[in-house]
Amino acid sequence: MTARDQWLEKGFAVLAAEGFRAVTIERLCAEMGLSKGSFYHHFGGVPGFEAALLEHFEAVETQRYVDAAEADPTASARQRLDRLRAAVVADGDRAAALEVAVRAWAAQDEAARAALERIDGRRLSYLESLFVELTDGGREARDLARTVYLLLLGSFHVLPPVPVVEVGRLWDRALDTLGELPDVLPSGPA
């Protein structure tokens, strides 16, 4: 792991444990035993670090999961979806705490909000692409993608949080039953 990545991982740890206001240069330097000069060398300042932290969040908490799901190019959409679920569950509660902290940060910071909107868009787009292959596409694929994504995110925000292993079970149950339910509600706008 590079020194830059170590700064970012330490930022993640503090962010997940105590929120974005606790992520300060002084705190990171003290916990890592490094100088402010090293911090400024890698990031140029706090705005550069925050931008890098959000980019790293996207790579670690989005692209890494997509890469895991897409590891076998011959896999079916259901197999890729199952691999995606397995990767999310394997990360456990650390990823959940980080997700909650980034969302709290985005609620108070415009740059974090813009980054999270892009990240949410990428995640939903990927899920929808899998569901397009499993359904007739269109609204059904979009609805299933949103349902699974909201199930995951919502599980992080209830108190006490739903254990990630339980989320995996609920994810499977939702996938097994959602497509089988009759459309009992009138259709609204897509």
Side-chain angles (χ1 to χ4, degrees), residues 9 13 21 32 39 67 70 77 79 86 95 137 169:
E9 286 299 318
R21 296 223 186 271
M32 294 179 67
F39 178 88
D67 291 346
E70 296 291 329
Q79 289 169 325
R169 186 185 67 74

Side-chain angles (χ1 to χ4, degrees), residues 92-108:
D93 297 327
R94 176 211 175 260
L98 184 58
E99 188 78 32
V100 169
V102 169
R103 289 183 181 283
W105 178 15
Q108 301 175 45

Side-chain angles (χ1 to χ4, degrees), residues 65-122:
Y65 292 123
V66 172
D67 291 346
E70 296 291 329
D72 178 2
T74 64
S76 69
R78 181 57 196 238
Q79 289 169 325
R80 286 179 281 152
L81 195 56
D82 288 344
R83 272 204 296 271
L84 179 64
R85 182 199 48 77
V88 168
V89 169
D91 275 353
D93 297 327
R94 176 211 175 260
L98 184 58
E99 188 78 32
V100 169
V102 169
R103 289 183 181 283
W105 178 15
Q108 301 175 45
D109 180 88
E110 190 57 41
R113 178 189 168 114
L116 193 55
E117 284 179 4
R118 184 184 69 253
I119 292 165
D120 281 343
R122 282 192 64 206

